């Protein structure tokens, strides 16, 4: 089974609202990354959080990591229509091997 | 800088045909990766290359071969395509360790009839 699982599978919000998506994983990790994918495009890296970090910010993004619960959350504040995309968490499975979850599809309605 | 480029963008094959997907990066990265993306499955790693001259299997290597031609180029070959290989294929590159982000190409949409 996959290492990372995002929740919810799909999320629809109004512009200006905050969006929160979660990622759970099964085994110990060195770091966890979040990526965004616009429809029909490749993935774009958003943020990396190491296992010894609890929270990280980048612009309107806030990522938390709880290693005791094996979970992470991505918060997008003051969402915009341009944030409409799929969001994936990726955990390292050792060495060069990343494992991606199935993603959360976010729709931000104008 | 072009980043990561992939060719072709689209391809339709018949069962049993062969083809090679090309990938190149101009960021001087050591590591390169091939993933496939199926609906509802996220990305699954097919093969990766930690450095020029080395390749390793990922989660789903069966039916594929790879070649790390040089530091810039990493190709993926389907010797005898099957309908189960219908997918979107992404190439990515990164620096030396898993602490670094991966940079993705635009993808190749492959349909096997």
């Amino acid at each position: 089974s996959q290492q990372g699982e995002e929740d919810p599978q799909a999320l629809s919000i109004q512009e200006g609202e905050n969006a929160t998506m979660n990622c759970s994983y099964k085994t110990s990790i060195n770091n966890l990354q979040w990526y965004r994918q616009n429809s029909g495009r490749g993935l774009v890296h958003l943020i990396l959080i190491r296992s010894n970090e609890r929270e990280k910010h980048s612009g309107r993004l806030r990522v938390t990591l709880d290693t005791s619960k094996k979970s992470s959350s991505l918060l997008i504040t003051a969402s915009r229509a341009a944030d409409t995309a799929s969001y994936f968490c990726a955990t390292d499975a050792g060495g060069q091997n990343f494992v991606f979850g199935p993603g959360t599809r976010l729709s931000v309605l104008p | 800088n072009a980043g990561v480029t992939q060719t072709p963008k689209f391809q339709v094959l018949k069962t049993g045909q062969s083809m090679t997907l090309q990938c190149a990066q101009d960021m001087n990265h050591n590591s390169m990766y091939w993933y496939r993306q199926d609906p509802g499955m996220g990305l699954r790693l097919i093969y990766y290359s930690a450095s020029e001259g080395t390749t390793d299997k990922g989660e789903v290597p069966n039916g594929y071969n790879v070649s790390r031609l040089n530091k810039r180029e990493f190709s993926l070959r389907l010797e005898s395509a099957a309908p189960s290989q219908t997918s979107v294929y992404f190439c990515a590159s990164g620096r030396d360790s898993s602490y670094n982000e991966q940079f993705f190409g635009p993808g190749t949409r492959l349909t096997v009839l």
Side-chain angles (χ1 to χ4, degrees):
Chain A
S1 60
Q2 289 177 314
Q3 166 76 319
E5 294 277 345
E6 293 91 347
D7 169 62
Q9 290 186 344
L11 179 61
S12 187
I13 60 173
Q14 295 293 131
E15 213 166 15
E17 294 180 337
N18 295 341
T20 299
M21 49 207 97
N22 304 296
C23 172
S24 60
Y25 56 92
K26 294 182 172 59
T27 62
S28 295
I29 60 172
N30 293 323
N31 67 77
L32 184 145
Q33 302 186 32
W34 285 91
Y35 286 80
R36 183 187 72 231
Q37 184 181 34
N38 291 92
S39 181
R41 310 289 288 271
L43 277 71
V44 175
H45 182 265
L46 295 176
I47 199 164
L48 179 153
I49 186 165
R50 297 173 189 252
S51 59
N52 62 353
E53 297 176 314
R54 292 296 166 260
E55 188 170 312
K56 209 162 180 183
H57 296 256
S58 177
R60 293 184 296 112
L61 306 180
R62 173 177 168 255
V63 168
T64 62
L65 179 64
D66 187 335
T67 53
S68 66
K69 295 182 179 177
K70 292 186 170 56
S71 67
S72 173
S73 67
L74 170 66
L75 168 68
I76 304 173
T77 60
S79 62
R80 306 166 181 167
D83 294 328
T84 294
S86 291
Y87 292 82
F88 296 88
C89 68
T91 53
D92 72 317
Q96 305 284 329
N97 207 345
F98 286 84
V99 179
F100 287 81
T104 291
R105 292 190 311 279
L106 174 65
S107 297
V108 180
L109 307 175
Chain B
N1 287 349
V4 180
T5 57
Q6 292 182 237
T7 56
K9 286 187 168 51
F10 300 94
Q11 184 72 47
V12 178
L13 294 177
K14 294 181 179 178
T15 296
Q17 287 185 318
S18 62
M19 79 160 295
T20 299
L21 282 65
Q22 306 286 353
C23 174
Q25 52 93 8
D26 62 1
M27 295 173 282
N28 202 35
H29 286 163
N30 286 318
S31 301
M32 297 186 73
Y33 310 81
W34 275 106
Y35 294 91
R36 59 177 289 172
Q37 184 177 33
D38 301 298
M41 296 286 292
L43 275 74
R44 290 184 291 171
L45 183 65
I46 304 171
Y47 271 93
Y48 65 97
S49 170
S51 62
E52 185 179 351
T54 68
T55 61
D56 286 286
K57 295 179 181 180
E59 182 185 353
V60 288
N62 291 347
Y64 306 95
N65 286 302
V66 290
S67 295
R68 182 73 183 268
L69 304 170
N70 47 54
K71 192 170 186 179
R72 289 187 64 248
E73 298 171 289
F74 189 37
S75 63
L76 178 72
R77 182 160 179 84
L78 287 70
E79 290 290 351
S80 179
S84 60
Q85 295 178 305
T86 293
S87 188
V88 181
Y89 291 85
F90 289 99
C91 177
S93 71
R95 288 179 292 202
D96 294 319
S97 77
S98 67
Y99 287 96
N100 289 301
E101 64 187 282
Q102 293 190 9
F103 293 81
F104 283 80
T108 295
R109 188 173 295 274
L110 174 67
T111 301
V112 183
L113 302 175

